[in-house]
Amino acid sequence: MHELTNTIVKNISAKRAGQSESGTTPPSVNDFRTIFISDVHLGTKDCKAKQLNNFLKHYSCNELYLVGDIIDGWKMRSGIYWNKQFNRFVRRVLKLSKKGTPVFYITGNHDEFLRRFANNRFENIQLLNKKIHITQDAKRILVIHGDQFDGVTRCSRWLKFIGDHGYEFLMMLNRLYNRIRANYGFGYWSLASFLKHNIKRAKQYIHDYEDAVTLAVKKQNFDGVICGHIHHAAIKDSEGFQYLNTGDWVESCTAIVEEHSGEFRLIHWLTDPNNTAVEPHKAAKIKAPSPALA
């Protein structure tokens, strides 16, 4: 009887401490096996580094993937724009790596100057052009930025130049519009995302890109692909193959996360209930990028 009482007391104590009967601490609801983010574009005025820092402060992971275009080398050629939020993001990543979290930096087209240094390790940070990620349920996922499948960026540097400056002009209009919204107490709204959802040629481009990536990677006998590049977050299943796009931290503030079970989930940080940076009186007014007009 005395032994039975001791066993019950031990089990109750373990549960109160947040532990299982085996003595291991179960994962928190805010803890993931893996976090994938891309298209941060440090060095640009539209980078949402503050929101990204809040996201990484709230969520933890066993592994962190930076899936390309983290630094915008194209923009920094014409002048360097840098603020304290960018420094905080860099320090946060370095702090995670020093604490033992493996960080995989996958190069993109805007930080292509790093590609010649690929396959190098800097303490707990690996610089790679692509990587095979094995999920908890043993699926093989190719992690790559995705510009390799974009005919515009691969075939014509002139078209790439026009597209880059056109996008920059669009984001300038977006900044002006959101300043007006902020004056009236409304949250961020993405003009670029609205155009992507409502212009036929833009929607066709996204559809063609997703098909090209899916077809190419599927032929290599992978179970899925995680990419970025087009700033359009998505999780799609097609005949057992998963296409996952991380989105960006310029317009939508999205990330792909892998649960400890191996399942993937898309997080929209701007509308995430855990986003404590949103002021209570504004939370109801903030809308995720959608095809609807503000």
Side-chain angles (χ1 to χ4, degrees):
M1 184 68 179
H2 180 68
E3 293 179 358
L4 177 60
T5 303
N6 287 339
T7 302
I8 294 174
V9 170
K10 287 181 180 179
N11 287 338
I12 293 174
S13 299
K15 289 180 180 179
R16 286 180 177 177
Q19 297 179 334
S20 65
E21 293 183 8
S22 63
T24 59
T25 303
S28 164
V29 292
N30 295 333
D31 176 69
F32 299 108
R33 185 172 185 264
T34 320
I35 291 178
F36 304 83
I37 60 176
S38 76
D39 297 273
V40 179
H41 292 275
L42 295 174
T44 66
K45 294 181 180 180
D46 297 294
C47 170
K48 303 296 187 297
K50 182 177 181 180
Q51 288 83 344
L52 179 55
N53 286 327
N54 289 333
F55 170 81
L56 292 176
K57 182 179 179 180
H58 187 84
Y59 290 118
S60 60
C61 59
N62 296 346
E63 294 180 333
L64 175 64
Y65 279 79
L66 306 176
V67 194
D69 284 4
I70 305 303
I71 301 171
D72 198 319
W74 291 7
K75 181 63 178 176
M76 294 175 72
R77 290 173 189 167
S78 58
I80 296 178
Y81 171 80
W82 203 263
N83 61 43
K84 61 182 180 180
Q85 292 295 338
F86 298 171
N87 288 330
R88 288 176 181 174
F89 169 73
V90 173
R91 287 199 298 266
R92 186 172 296 278
V93 172
L94 292 175
K95 185 177 180 180
L96 286 172
S97 69
K98 287 181 179 179
K99 286 187 174 181
T101 301
V103 178
F104 304 102
Y105 191 125
I106 311 298
T107 59
N109 55 312
H110 280 258
D111 46 20
E112 59 188 353
F113 63 93
L114 295 172
R115 283 181 170 166
R116 57 180 173 173
F117 304 110
N119 302 319
N120 281 293
R121 179 190 291 269
F122 306 92
E123 294 187 352
N124 211 23
I125 300 176
Q126 293 186 50
L127 185 64
L128 305 161
N129 290 332
K130 59 183 178 180
K131 189 181 185 303
I132 300 174
H133 175 74
I134 307 299
T135 65
Q136 181 64 34
D137 49 357
K139 292 181 180 178
R140 296 173 68 251
I141 308 294
L142 178 64
V143 185
I144 191 168
H145 180 63
D147 61 291
Q148 298 86 345
F149 306 100
D150 188 340
V152 172
T153 59
R154 289 194 51 162
C155 300
S156 174
R157 300 190 71 87
W158 174 245
L159 285 177
K160 180 170 68 174
F161 175 84
I162 295 175
D164 182 49
H165 283 265
Y167 183 76
E168 184 178 333
F169 177 72
L170 179 64
M171 295 310 296
M172 182 188 70
L173 294 178
N174 201 61
R175 287 196 302 271
L176 295 174
Y177 178 63
N178 276 286
R179 286 175 189 170
I180 297 173
R181 285 176 59 84
N183 290 335
Y184 289 93
F186 288 92
Y188 180 80
W189 181 78
S190 175
L191 174 61
S193 292
F194 170 77
L195 295 177
K196 288 177 185 178
H197 283 89
N198 289 273
I199 294 180
K200 185 176 180 180
R201 291 188 65 181
K203 291 195 294 183
Q204 187 62 46
Y205 165 77
I206 293 172
H207 181 268
D208 291 345
Y209 175 83
E210 293 173 347
D211 283 350
V213 175
T214 299
L215 180 62
V217 178
K218 196 173 183 180
K219 284 183 178 179
Q220 300 177 52
N221 296 318
F222 288 102
D223 298 304
V225 60
I226 295 177
C227 60
H229 184 56
I230 60 171
H231 295 204
H232 185 75
I235 295 181
K236 295 185 177 181
D237 295 307
S238 175
E239 299 177 354
F241 183 90
Q242 279 192 303
Y243 167 87
L244 303 104
N245 195 300
T246 53
D248 65 277
W249 289 86
V250 174
E251 306 164 36
S252 55
C253 298
T254 54
I256 295 289
V257 297
E258 179 193 1
E259 304 277 7
H260 288 275
S261 62
E263 296 182 4
F264 289 107
R265 183 156 66 91
L266 176 61
I267 293 180
H268 290 84
W269 181 241
L270 293 181
T271 55
D272 191 286
N274 294 312
N275 186 356
T276 55
V278 178
E279 297 178 26
H281 70 281
K282 292 183 180 181
K285 296 182 180 180
I286 291 184
K287 300 179 181 179
S290 68
L293 279 172

